[in-house]
PDB file of all heavy atoms in Angstrom:
ATOM      1  N   GLU O   1     112.245 -21.067 -10.913  1.00 97.00           N
ATOM      2  CA  GLU O   1     111.673 -21.072  -9.557  1.00 97.00           C
ATOM      3  C   GLU O   1     110.759 -19.866  -9.349  1.00 97.00           C
ATOM      4  O   GLU O   1     109.666 -19.990  -8.778  1.00 97.00           O
ATOM      5  CB  GLU O   1     112.775 -21.086  -8.510  1.00 97.00           C
ATOM      6  CG  GLU O   1     112.245 -21.164  -7.093  1.00 97.00           C
ATOM      7  CD  GLU O   1     113.300 -21.470  -6.059  1.00 97.00           C
ATOM      8  OE1 GLU O   1     114.479 -21.638  -6.443  1.00 97.00           O
ATOM      9  OE2 GLU O   1     112.955 -21.567  -4.864  1.00 97.00           O
ATOM     10  N   LEU O   2     111.185 -18.704  -9.818  1.00 97.00           N
ATOM     11  CA  LEU O   2     110.346 -17.513  -9.697  1.00 97.00           C
ATOM     12  C   LEU O   2     109.057 -17.665 -10.496  1.00 97.00           C
ATOM     13  O   LEU O   2     107.976 -17.265 -10.033  1.00 97.00           O
ATOM     14  CB  LEU O   2     111.108 -16.275 -10.171  1.00 97.00           C
ATOM     15  CG  LEU O   2     112.209 -15.769  -9.253  1.00 97.00           C
ATOM     16  CD1 LEU O   2     112.944 -14.602  -9.893  1.00 97.00           C
ATOM     17  CD2 LEU O   2     111.636 -15.353  -7.896  1.00 97.00           C
ATOM     18  N   LEU O   3     109.157 -18.241 -11.681  1.00 97.00           N
ATOM     19  CA  LEU O   3     107.966 -18.459 -12.499  1.00 97.00           C
ATOM     20  C   LEU O   3     106.975 -19.365 -11.777  1.00 97.00           C
ATOM     21  O   LEU O   3     105.769 -19.099 -11.758  1.00 97.00           O
ATOM     22  CB  LEU O   3     108.373 -19.075 -13.841  1.00 97.00           C
ATOM     23  CG  LEU O   3     107.230 -19.363 -14.822  1.00 97.00           C
ATOM     24  CD1 LEU O   3     106.546 -18.064 -15.236  1.00 97.00           C
ATOM     25  CD2 LEU O   3     107.749 -20.109 -16.049  1.00 97.00           C
ATOM     26  N   LEU O   4     107.491 -20.426 -11.157  1.00 97.00           N
ATOM     27  CA  LEU O   4     106.628 -21.323 -10.394  1.00 97.00           C
ATOM     28  C   LEU O   4     105.937 -20.590  -9.245  1.00 97.00           C
ATOM     29  O   LEU O   4     104.739 -20.773  -8.997  1.00 97.00           O
ATOM     30  CB  LEU O   4     107.440 -22.497  -9.839  1.00 97.00           C
ATOM     31  CG  LEU O   4     107.849 -23.594 -10.812  1.00 97.00           C
ATOM     32  CD1 LEU O   4     108.726 -24.618 -10.089  1.00 97.00           C
ATOM     33  CD2 LEU O   4     106.626 -24.287 -11.413  1.00 97.00           C
ATOM     34  N   ALA O   5     106.702 -19.765  -8.541  1.00 97.00           N
ATOM     35  CA  ALA O   5     106.152 -19.073  -7.377  1.00 97.00           C
ATOM     36  C   ALA O   5     105.069 -18.074  -7.779  1.00 97.00           C
ATOM     37  O   ALA O   5     103.998 -18.020  -7.160  1.00 97.00           O
ATOM     38  CB  ALA O   5     107.273 -18.373  -6.609  1.00 97.00           C
ATOM     39  N   PHE O   6     105.347 -17.279  -8.813  1.00 97.00           N
ATOM     40  CA  PHE O   6     104.403 -16.235  -9.188  1.00 97.00           C
ATOM     41  C   PHE O   6     103.169 -16.779  -9.904  1.00 97.00           C
ATOM     42  O   PHE O   6     102.162 -16.082  -9.997  1.00 97.00           O
ATOM     43  CB  PHE O   6     105.106 -15.180 -10.044  1.00 97.00           C
ATOM     44  CG  PHE O   6     105.846 -14.155  -9.237  1.00 97.00           C
ATOM     45  CD1 PHE O   6     107.176 -14.359  -8.884  1.00 97.00           C
ATOM     46  CD2 PHE O   6     105.230 -12.994  -8.803  1.00 97.00           C
ATOM     47  CE1 PHE O   6     107.868 -13.432  -8.122  1.00 97.00           C
ATOM     48  CE2 PHE O   6     105.917 -12.047  -8.042  1.00 97.00           C
ATOM     49  CZ  PHE O   6     107.232 -12.274  -7.699  1.00 97.00           C
ATOM     50  N   THR O   7     103.239 -17.989 -10.421  1.00 97.00           N
ATOM     51  CA  THR O   7     102.070 -18.606 -11.079  1.00 97.00           C
ATOM     52  C   THR O   7     101.503 -19.735 -10.237  1.00 97.00           C
ATOM     53  O   THR O   7     100.732 -20.548 -10.739  1.00 97.00           O
ATOM     54  CB  THR O   7     102.459 -19.135 -12.476  1.00 97.00           C
ATOM     55  OG1 THR O   7     103.492 -20.144 -12.332  1.00 97.00           O
ATOM     56  CG2 THR O   7     102.966 -18.013 -13.365  1.00 97.00           C
ATOM     57  N   ASN O   8     101.868 -19.779  -8.970  1.00 96.00           N
ATOM     58  CA  ASN O   8     101.485 -20.908  -8.113  1.00 96.00           C
ATOM     59  C   ASN O   8      99.975 -21.077  -8.001  1.00 96.00           C
ATOM     60  O   ASN O   8      99.483 -22.199  -7.859  1.00 96.00           O
ATOM     61  CB  ASN O   8     102.087 -20.728  -6.718  1.00 96.00           C
ATOM     62  CG  ASN O   8     101.907 -21.948  -5.856  1.00 96.00           C
ATOM     63  OD1 ASN O   8     102.565 -22.966  -6.030  1.00 96.00           O
ATOM     64  ND2 ASN O   8     100.977 -21.876  -4.892  1.00 96.00           N
ATOM     65  N   ASP O   9      99.227 -19.974  -8.057  1.00 94.00           N
ATOM     66  CA  ASP O   9      97.771 -20.066  -7.939  1.00 94.00           C
ATOM     67  C   ASP O   9      97.157 -20.914  -9.045  1.00 94.00           C
ATOM     68  O   ASP O   9      96.048 -21.437  -8.887  1.00 94.00           O
ATOM     69  CB  ASP O   9      97.148 -18.666  -7.978  1.00 94.00           C
ATOM     70  CG  ASP O   9      97.472 -17.864  -6.724  1.00 94.00           C
ATOM     71  OD1 ASP O   9      97.902 -18.482  -5.727  1.00 94.00           O
ATOM     72  OD2 ASP O   9      97.299 -16.629  -6.742  1.00 94.00           O
ATOM     73  N   TRP O  10      97.859 -21.053 -10.155  1.00 96.00           N
ATOM     74  CA  TRP O  10      97.330 -21.811 -11.283  1.00 96.00           C
ATOM     75  C   TRP O  10      97.622 -23.300 -11.196  1.00 96.00           C
ATOM     76  O   TRP O  10      96.899 -24.105 -11.792  1.00 96.00           O
ATOM     77  CB  TRP O  10      97.897 -21.268 -12.605  1.00 96.00           C
ATOM     78  CG  TRP O  10      97.580 -19.825 -12.849  1.00 96.00           C
ATOM     79  CD1 TRP O  10      96.618 -19.077 -12.217  1.00 96.00           C
ATOM     80  CD2 TRP O  10      98.224 -18.947 -13.776  1.00 96.00           C
ATOM     81  NE1 TRP O  10      96.626 -17.786 -12.689  1.00 96.00           N
ATOM     82  CE2 TRP O  10      97.596 -17.675 -13.650  1.00 96.00           C
ATOM     83  CE3 TRP O  10      99.258 -19.103 -14.689  1.00 96.00           C
ATOM     84  CZ2 TRP O  10      97.973 -16.582 -14.409  1.00 96.00           C
ATOM     85  CZ3 TRP O  10      99.634 -18.005 -15.444  1.00 96.00           C
ATOM     86  CH2 TRP O  10      99.001 -16.762 -15.315  1.00 96.00           C
ATOM     87  N   HIS O  11      98.707 -23.677 -10.504  1.00 94.00           N
ATOM     88  CA  HIS O  11      99.111 -25.092 -10.540  1.00 94.00           C
ATOM     89  C   HIS O  11      99.472 -25.692  -9.185  1.00 94.00           C
ATOM     90  O   HIS O  11      99.464 -26.906  -9.034  1.00 94.00           O
ATOM     91  CB  HIS O  11     100.320 -25.254 -11.476  1.00 94.00           C
ATOM     92  CG  HIS O  11     101.411 -24.257 -11.235  1.00 94.00           C
ATOM     93  ND1 HIS O  11     102.190 -24.263 -10.090  1.00 94.00           N
ATOM     94  CD2 HIS O  11     101.856 -23.208 -11.985  1.00 94.00           C
ATOM     95  CE1 HIS O  11     103.069 -23.275 -10.155  1.00 94.00           C
ATOM     96  NE2 HIS O  11     102.900 -22.609 -11.280  1.00 94.00           N
ATOM     97  N   HIS O  12      99.813 -24.850  -8.209  1.00 94.00           N
ATOM     98  CA  HIS O  12     100.180 -25.310  -6.859  1.00 94.00           C
ATOM     99  C   HIS O  12     101.351 -26.294  -6.878  1.00 94.00           C
ATOM    100  O   HIS O  12     101.427 -27.183  -6.027  1.00 94.00           O
ATOM    101  CB  HIS O  12      98.979 -25.945  -6.154  1.00 94.00           C
ATOM    102  CG  HIS O  12      97.795 -25.023  -6.071  1.00 94.00           C
ATOM    103  ND1 HIS O  12      97.760 -23.929  -5.232  1.00 94.00           N
ATOM    104  CD2 HIS O  12      96.612 -25.028  -6.759  1.00 94.00           C
ATOM    105  CE1 HIS O  12      96.603 -23.300  -5.383  1.00 94.00           C
ATOM    106  NE2 HIS O  12      95.902 -23.938  -6.300  1.00 94.00           N
ATOM    107  N   LEU O  13     102.248 -26.109  -7.817  1.00 94.00           N
ATOM    108  CA  LEU O  13     103.427 -26.979  -7.899  1.00 94.00           C
ATOM    109  C   LEU O  13     104.566 -26.501  -7.008  1.00 94.00           C
ATOM    110  O   LEU O  13     105.508 -27.255  -6.735  1.00 94.00           O
ATOM    111  CB  LEU O  13     103.920 -27.060  -9.351  1.00 94.00           C
ATOM    112  CG  LEU O  13     102.998 -27.765 -10.343  1.00 94.00           C
ATOM    113  CD1 LEU O  13     103.557 -27.650 -11.762  1.00 94.00           C
ATOM    114  CD2 LEU O  13     102.833 -29.224  -9.958  1.00 94.00           C
ATOM    115  N   TYR O  14     104.485 -25.250  -6.562  1.00 95.00           N
ATOM    116  CA  TYR O  14     105.561 -24.698  -5.726  1.00 95.00           C
ATOM    117  C   TYR O  14     105.152 -24.723  -4.253  1.00 95.00           C
ATOM    118  O   TYR O  14     105.857 -25.278  -3.422  1.00 95.00           O
ATOM    119  CB  TYR O  14     105.887 -23.280  -6.180  1.00 95.00           C
ATOM    120  CG  TYR O  14     107.156 -22.736  -5.573  1.00 95.00           C
ATOM    121  CD1 TYR O  14     108.401 -23.227  -5.966  1.00 95.00           C
ATOM    122  CD2 TYR O  14     107.125 -21.728  -4.609  1.00 95.00           C
ATOM    123  CE1 TYR O  14     109.575 -22.737  -5.409  1.00 95.00           C
ATOM    124  CE2 TYR O  14     108.290 -21.231  -4.049  1.00 95.00           C
ATOM    125  CZ  TYR O  14     109.514 -21.740  -4.455  1.00 95.00           C
ATOM    126  OH  TYR O  14     110.671 -21.258  -3.897  1.00 95.00           O
ATOM    127  N   TRP O  15     104.040 -24.083  -3.958  1.00 94.00           N
ATOM    128  CA  TRP O  15     103.434 -24.191  -2.628  1.00 94.00           C
ATOM    129  C   TRP O  15     102.126 -24.950  -2.778  1.00 94.00           C
ATOM    130  O   TRP O  15     101.252 -24.553  -3.544  1.00 94.00           O
ATOM    131  CB  TRP O  15     103.156 -22.817  -2.028  1.00 94.00           C
ATOM    132  CG  TRP O  15     104.382 -22.018  -1.707  1.00 94.00           C
ATOM    133  CD1 TRP O  15     105.419 -22.388  -0.899  1.00 94.00           C
ATOM    134  CD2 TRP O  15     104.704 -20.699  -2.178  1.00 94.00           C
ATOM    135  NE1 TRP O  15     106.364 -21.399  -0.837  1.00 94.00           N
ATOM    136  CE2 TRP O  15     105.952 -20.347  -1.610  1.00 94.00           C
ATOM    137  CE3 TRP O  15     104.060 -19.785  -3.013  1.00 94.00           C
ATOM    138  CZ2 TRP O  15     106.568 -19.125  -1.858  1.00 94.00           C
ATOM    139  CZ3 TRP O  15     104.670 -18.580  -3.268  1.00 94.00           C
ATOM    140  CH2 TRP O  15     105.907 -18.254  -2.689  1.00 94.00           C
ATOM    141  N   SER O  16     101.985 -26.027  -2.053  1.00 92.00           N
ATOM    142  CA  SER O  16     100.760 -26.826  -2.164  1.00 92.00           C
ATOM    143  C   SER O  16      99.605 -26.212  -1.395  1.00 92.00           C
ATOM    144  O   SER O  16      98.448 -26.586  -1.596  1.00 92.00           O
ATOM    145  CB  SER O  16     101.010 -28.251  -1.671  1.00 92.00           C
ATOM    146  OG  SER O  16     101.526 -28.251  -0.349  1.00 92.00           O
ATOM    147  N   GLY O  17      99.890 -25.277  -0.502  1.00 90.00           N
ATOM    148  CA  GLY O  17      98.842 -24.606   0.256  1.00 90.00           C
ATOM    149  C   GLY O  17      99.433 -23.653   1.276  1.00 90.00           C
ATOM    150  O   GLY O  17     100.658 -23.527   1.402  1.00 90.00           O
ATOM    151  N   PHE O  18      98.538 -22.959   1.979  1.00 88.00           N
ATOM    152  CA  PHE O  18      98.946 -22.008   3.003  1.00 88.00           C
ATOM    153  C   PHE O  18      98.078 -22.240   4.239  1.00 88.00           C
ATOM    154  O   PHE O  18      96.913 -22.609   4.125  1.00 88.00           O
ATOM    155  CB  PHE O  18      98.764 -20.562   2.530  1.00 88.00           C
ATOM    156  CG  PHE O  18      99.374 -20.276   1.187  1.00 88.00           C
ATOM    157  CD1 PHE O  18      98.614 -20.344   0.028  1.00 88.00           C
ATOM    158  CD2 PHE O  18     100.715 -19.951   1.084  1.00 88.00           C
ATOM    159  CE1 PHE O  18      99.170 -20.082  -1.209  1.00 88.00           C
ATOM    160  CE2 PHE O  18     101.288 -19.695  -0.147  1.00 88.00           C
ATOM    161  CZ  PHE O  18     100.515 -19.760  -1.297  1.00 88.00           C
ATOM    162  N   ALA O  19      98.653 -21.999   5.394  1.00 85.00           N
ATOM    163  CA  ALA O  19      97.907 -22.123   6.643  1.00 85.00           C
ATOM    164  C   ALA O  19      98.261 -20.944   7.539  1.00 85.00           C
ATOM    165  O   ALA O  19      99.415 -20.504   7.566  1.00 85.00           O
ATOM    166  CB  ALA O  19      98.237 -23.440   7.341  1.00 85.00           C
ATOM    167  N   VAL O  20      97.265 -20.433   8.252  1.00 87.00           N
ATOM    168  CA  VAL O  20      97.465 -19.327   9.189  1.00 87.00           C
ATOM    169  C   VAL O  20      97.402 -19.897  10.592  1.00 87.00           C
ATOM    170  O   VAL O  20      96.494 -20.665  10.924  1.00 87.00           O
ATOM    171  CB  VAL O  20      96.397 -18.234   8.993  1.00 87.00           C
ATOM    172  CG1 VAL O  20      96.630 -17.076   9.950  1.00 87.00           C
ATOM    173  CG2 VAL O  20      96.406 -17.741   7.553  1.00 87.00           C
ATOM    174  N   THR O  21      98.375 -19.540  11.425  1.00 83.00           N
ATOM    175  CA  THR O  21      98.515 -20.190  12.727  1.00 83.00           C
ATOM    176  C   THR O  21      97.461 -19.782  13.748  1.00 83.00           C
ATOM    177  O   THR O  21      97.253 -20.496  14.733  1.00 83.00           O
ATOM    178  CB  THR O  21      99.912 -19.904  13.314  1.00 83.00           C
ATOM    179  OG1 THR O  21     100.109 -18.478  13.389  1.00 83.00           O
ATOM    180  CG2 THR O  21     101.001 -20.529  12.446  1.00 83.00           C
ATOM    181  N   SER O  22      96.786 -18.638  13.523  1.00 83.00           N
ATOM    182  CA  SER O  22      95.734 -18.209  14.450  1.00 83.00           C
ATOM    183  C   SER O  22      94.883 -17.145  13.763  1.00 83.00           C
ATOM    184  O   SER O  22      95.258 -16.637  12.703  1.00 83.00           O
ATOM    185  CB  SER O  22      96.347 -17.655  15.742  1.00 83.00           C
ATOM    186  OG  SER O  22      96.808 -16.332  15.552  1.00 83.00           O
ATOM    187  N   PRO O  23      93.731 -16.785  14.349  1.00 85.00           N
ATOM    188  CA  PRO O  23      92.892 -15.734  13.744  1.00 85.00           C
ATOM    189  C   PRO O  23      93.450 -14.324  13.963  1.00 85.00           C
ATOM    190  O   PRO O  23      92.915 -13.367  13.410  1.00 85.00           O
ATOM    191  CB  PRO O  23      91.546 -15.893  14.476  1.00 85.00           C
ATOM    192  CG  PRO O  23      91.612 -17.200  15.190  1.00 85.00           C
ATOM    193  CD  PRO O  23      93.058 -17.438  15.481  1.00 85.00           C
ATOM    194  N   ALA O  24      94.498 -14.174  14.748  1.00 83.00           N
ATOM    195  CA  ALA O  24      95.013 -12.846  15.077  1.00 83.00           C
ATOM    196  C   ALA O  24      95.734 -12.210  13.888  1.00 83.00           C
ATOM    197  O   ALA O  24      96.291 -12.916  13.041  1.00 83.00           O
ATOM    198  CB  ALA O  24      95.976 -12.945  16.260  1.00 83.00           C
ATOM    199  N   PRO O  25      95.746 -10.874  13.823  1.00 83.00           N
ATOM    200  CA  PRO O  25      96.480 -10.193  12.742  1.00 83.00           C
ATOM    201  C   PRO O  25      97.967 -10.512  12.747  1.00 83.00           C
ATOM    202  O   PRO O  25      98.621 -10.451  11.710  1.00 83.00           O
ATOM    203  CB  PRO O  25      96.236  -8.708  13.029  1.00 83.00           C
ATOM    204  CG  PRO O  25      95.016  -8.660  13.874  1.00 83.00           C
ATOM    205  CD  PRO O  25      95.033  -9.913  14.696  1.00 83.00           C
ATOM    206  N   THR O  26      98.501 -10.834  13.929  1.00 80.00           N
ATOM    207  CA  THR O  26      99.923 -11.141  14.057  1.00 80.00           C
ATOM    208  C   THR O  26     100.247 -12.600  13.739  1.00 80.00           C
ATOM    209  O   THR O  26     101.402 -13.021  13.883  1.00 80.00           O
ATOM    210  CB  THR O  26     100.393 -10.835  15.490  1.00 80.00           C
ATOM    211  OG1 THR O  26      99.567 -11.561  16.413  1.00 80.00           O
ATOM    212  CG2 THR O  26     100.290  -9.346  15.786  1.00 80.00           C
ATOM    213  N   ALA O  27      99.261 -13.364  13.310  1.00 82.00           N
ATOM    214  CA  ALA O  27      99.474 -14.787  13.041  1.00 82.00           C
ATOM    215  C   ALA O  27     100.522 -14.984  11.943  1.00 82.00           C
ATOM    216  O   ALA O  27     100.695 -14.140  11.063  1.00 82.00           O
ATOM    217  CB  ALA O  27      98.161 -15.445  12.629  1.00 82.00           C
ATOM    218  N   LEU O  28     101.196 -16.112  12.020  1.00 81.00           N
ATOM    219  CA  LEU O  28     102.174 -16.473  10.991  1.00 81.00           C
ATOM    220  C   LEU O  28     101.477 -17.211   9.867  1.00 81.00           C
ATOM    221  O   LEU O  28     100.494 -17.934  10.087  1.00 81.00           O
ATOM    222  CB  LEU O  28     103.268 -17.353  11.588  1.00 81.00           C
ATOM    223  CG  LEU O  28     104.110 -16.732  12.703  1.00 81.00           C
ATOM    224  CD1 LEU O  28     105.056 -17.773  13.285  1.00 81.00           C
ATOM    225  CD2 LEU O  28     104.892 -15.533  12.190  1.00 81.00           C
ATOM    226  N   VAL O  29     101.983 -17.028   8.672  1.00 84.00           N
ATOM    227  CA  VAL O  29     101.492 -17.776   7.513  1.00 84.00           C
ATOM    228  C   VAL O  29     102.479 -18.909   7.241  1.00 84.00           C
ATOM    229  O   VAL O  29     103.668 -18.661   7.024  1.00 84.00           O
ATOM    230  CB  VAL O  29     101.354 -16.870   6.272  1.00 84.00           C
ATOM    231  CG1 VAL O  29     100.909 -17.691   5.062  1.00 84.00           C
ATOM    232  CG2 VAL O  29     100.370 -15.742   6.550  1.00 84.00           C
ATOM    233  N   VAL O  30     101.994 -20.127   7.292  1.00 83.00           N
ATOM    234  CA  VAL O  30     102.830 -21.293   7.054  1.00 83.00           C
ATOM    235  C   VAL O  30     102.664 -21.722   5.598  1.00 83.00           C
ATOM    236  O   VAL O  30     101.550 -21.994   5.146  1.00 83.00           O
ATOM    237  CB  VAL O  30     102.450 -22.452   7.992  1.00 83.00           C
ATOM    238  CG1 VAL O  30     103.318 -23.676   7.718  1.00 83.00           C
ATOM    239  CG2 VAL O  30     102.594 -22.019   9.454  1.00 83.00           C
ATOM    240  N   PHE O  31     103.773 -21.776   4.870  1.00 87.00           N
ATOM    241  CA  PHE O  31     103.763 -22.198   3.474  1.00 87.00           C
ATOM    242  C   PHE O  31     103.981 -23.707   3.418  1.00 87.00           C
ATOM    243  O   PHE O  31     104.952 -24.215   3.973  1.00 87.00           O
ATOM    244  CB  PHE O  31     104.863 -21.476   2.683  1.00 87.00           C
ATOM    245  CG  PHE O  31     104.612 -20.014   2.503  1.00 87.00           C
ATOM    246  CD1 PHE O  31     104.885 -19.115   3.532  1.00 87.00           C
ATOM    247  CD2 PHE O  31     104.117 -19.527   1.317  1.00 87.00           C
ATOM    248  CE1 PHE O  31     104.650 -17.757   3.377  1.00 87.00           C
ATOM    249  CE2 PHE O  31     103.886 -18.174   1.137  1.00 87.00           C
ATOM    250  CZ  PHE O  31     104.147 -17.285   2.173  1.00 87.00           C
ATOM    251  N   GLU O  32     103.067 -24.396   2.767  1.00 88.00           N
ATOM    252  CA  GLU O  32     103.188 -25.847   2.614  1.00 88.00           C
ATOM    253  C   GLU O  32     103.955 -26.128   1.325  1.00 88.00           C
ATOM    254  O   GLU O  32     103.474 -25.857   0.230  1.00 88.00           O
ATOM    255  CB  GLU O  32     101.800 -26.484   2.587  1.00 88.00           C
ATOM    256  CG  GLU O  32     101.016 -26.229   3.885  1.00 88.00           C
ATOM    257  CD  GLU O  32      99.568 -26.661   3.767  1.00 88.00           C
ATOM    258  OE1 GLU O  32      99.181 -27.199   2.696  1.00 88.00           O
ATOM    259  OE2 GLU O  32      98.815 -26.460   4.745  1.00 88.00           O
ATOM    260  N   HIS O  33     105.164 -26.640   1.486  1.00 87.00           N
ATOM    261  CA  HIS O  33     106.062 -26.801   0.344  1.00 87.00           C
ATOM    262  C   HIS O  33     105.832 -28.113  -0.382  1.00 87.00           C
ATOM    263  O   HIS O  33     105.662 -29.164   0.236  1.00 87.00           O
ATOM    264  CB  HIS O  33     107.515 -26.733   0.819  1.00 87.00           C
ATOM    265  CG  HIS O  33     107.856 -25.429   1.466  1.00 87.00           C
ATOM    266  ND1 HIS O  33     107.817 -25.244   2.833  1.00 87.00           N
ATOM    267  CD2 HIS O  33     108.225 -24.237   0.940  1.00 87.00           C
ATOM    268  CE1 HIS O  33     108.158 -24.000   3.112  1.00 87.00           C
ATOM    269  NE2 HIS O  33     108.407 -23.367   1.995  1.00 87.00           N
ATOM    270  N   SER O  34     105.856 -28.027  -1.702  1.00 91.00           N
ATOM    271  CA  SER O  34     105.700 -29.213  -2.547  1.00 91.00           C
ATOM    272  C   SER O  34     107.032 -29.932  -2.690  1.00 91.00           C
ATOM    273  O   SER O  34     108.084 -29.429  -2.297  1.00 91.00           O
ATOM    274  CB  SER O  34     105.185 -28.801  -3.925  1.00 91.00           C
ATOM    275  OG  SER O  34     106.185 -28.044  -4.601  1.00 91.00           O
TER     276      SER O  34
END
């Protein structure tokens, strides 16, 4: 699981994407789970 997470940029098998809830610095980052 750790290997998947740390290499996710190469395959996106762990997190399929990321979304930021607003333009503010305090915005939350939403992890899109595969």
Side-chain angles (χ1 to χ4, degrees):
E1 183 168 359
L2 287 176
L3 180 63
L4 285 176
F6 277 90
T7 61
N8 189 74
D9 291 344
W10 301 343
H11 48 69
H12 304 288
L13 293 175
Y14 192 71
W15 293 304
S16 55
F18 309 95
V20 181
T21 56
S22 79
T26 55
L28 298 174
V29 177
V30 179
F31 291 80
E32 299 171 2
H33 299 96
S34 67

